[in-house]
Amino acid sequence: MPASRGKFITFEGIDGAGKSTHVATVVDLLRARGLDVVSTREPGGTPLGEKLREWLLREAMHPETEALLMFAARREHLAQIIEPALARGAWVVCDRFSDATYAYQGGGRGLDKAKCLSLEDWVHGRLQPDLTFLFDLPPALACARIAKEGRELDKFEQERADFHARVRQAYLERAASAPHRIRVVKAGRDIEDVKKIVEETLVTHCLSKN
Ligand code: TMP
């Protein structure tokens, strides 16, 4: 008998919202329940995708080139990693997916939403995450968190505050249009409180039905 399809969980938010810490929490929680979990990220997740990531995070390019490369990396990621994992019954936990293209290229760079929509339709048709955590934080706070880390900033992190404000706004609009799968988590509170909310949401939304 074929395995039942695994679940697809994604993490989103402006740079500095703190999502990566919670990716690890969710992966540990699912593995502790004996589930087969694939933890991956975008752009990236495959050898080709990681090469594209290097360009995307460093090189200046036309907004449409940026969107096309994001979706090219995504197509490869779906074919090599995400679709086979879900088909064998594994759970896929992905740090960013197409909501990020709507937010960054659509909101941040002003790319026509209809173009994002047609690329999304082409690349992953009806496949959408089962659950998306959107970590929401005012850009000024996110920026202060990144500055504290004292590391070299990538191309997106170097953008001005108004870019990050537009990315945040586009994420919130996307969440409002898909409330059945996108959960907005206020990321400014204490990390232990955020962790608790993430765990409870995961259990109610995905694990209670297993
Ligand atoms: P991160 O792995 O630290 O989150 O960085 C990835 C960066 O790439 C982040 O600034 C958001 C950006 N990005 C886009 O602009 N569009 C996309 O579709 C994706 C997946 C990421």
Side-chain angles (χ1 to χ4, degrees):
M1 201 172 73
S4 63
R5 182 187 170 279
K7 298 238 187 256
F8 184 23
I9 301 170
T10 60
F11 287 75
E12 302 283 357
I14 62 170
D15 294 281
K19 66 185 165 44
S20 302
T21 317
H22 302 291
V23 171
T25 302
V26 165
V27 169
D28 289 349
L29 197 146
L30 294 173
R31 287 193 176 137
R33 293 201 173 212
L35 293 162
D36 178 4
V37 183
V38 173
S39 177
T40 186
R41 69 172 180 180
E42 290 207 349
T46 64
L48 176 64
E50 292 294 327
K51 284 184 189 157
L52 291 171
R53 180 186 176 93
E54 282 297 305
W55 287 346
L56 283 160
L57 269 57
R58 308 264 159 245
E59 304 285 332
M61 59 185 77
H62 189 281
E64 290 186 358
T65 310
E66 203 170 79
L68 287 163
L69 288 179
M70 290 292 179
F71 270 104
R74 186 162 298 135
R75 185 69 198 92
E76 196 64 17
H77 195 199
L78 281 155
Q80 303 284 338
I81 307 288
I82 299 174
E83 287 168 344
L86 293 174
R88 72 164 193 268
W91 287 46
V92 176
V93 176
C94 193
D95 193 339
R96 298 195 189 278
F97 194 60
S98 291
D99 295 319
T101 316
Y102 280 91
Y104 281 80
Q105 282 65 52
R109 304 266 191 244
L111 180 75
D112 182 3
K113 223 183 182 177
K115 288 186 175 157
C116 274
L117 197 64
S118 68
L119 286 171
E120 181 187 26
D121 193 38
W122 183 23
V123 169
H124 55 98
R126 278 178 303 170
L127 174 69
Q128 286 292 341
D130 296 288
L131 173 64
T132 297
F133 290 101
L134 170 55
F135 292 86
D136 182 52
L137 194 66
L141 286 182
C143 192
R145 279 187 181 177
I146 295 175
K148 244 191 190 167
E149 292 172 17
R151 56 177 171 77
E152 195 192 334
L153 302 184
D154 68 37
K155 186 179 90 180
F156 295 102
E157 290 165 336
Q158 284 174 30
E159 286 287 347
R160 291 168 16 172
D162 58 325
F163 175 88
H164 295 290
R166 289 196 301 278
V167 172
R168 182 192 192 197
Q169 184 57 31
Y171 264 135
L172 292 173
E173 282 167 16
R174 189 100 172 125
S177 73
H180 55 285
R181 78 167 168 91
I182 304 181
R183 291 284 180 276
V184 180
V185 179
K186 296 282 163 220
R189 55 185 104 198
D190 183 77
I191 189 163
E192 285 307 315
D193 292 343
V194 176
K195 191 173 166 192
K196 206 164 155 236
I197 291 167
V198 168
E199 288 179 358
E200 282 169 4
T201 306
L202 183 71
V203 170
T204 341
H205 199 285
C206 290
L207 288 166
S208 57
K209 294 167 207 148
N210 277 311

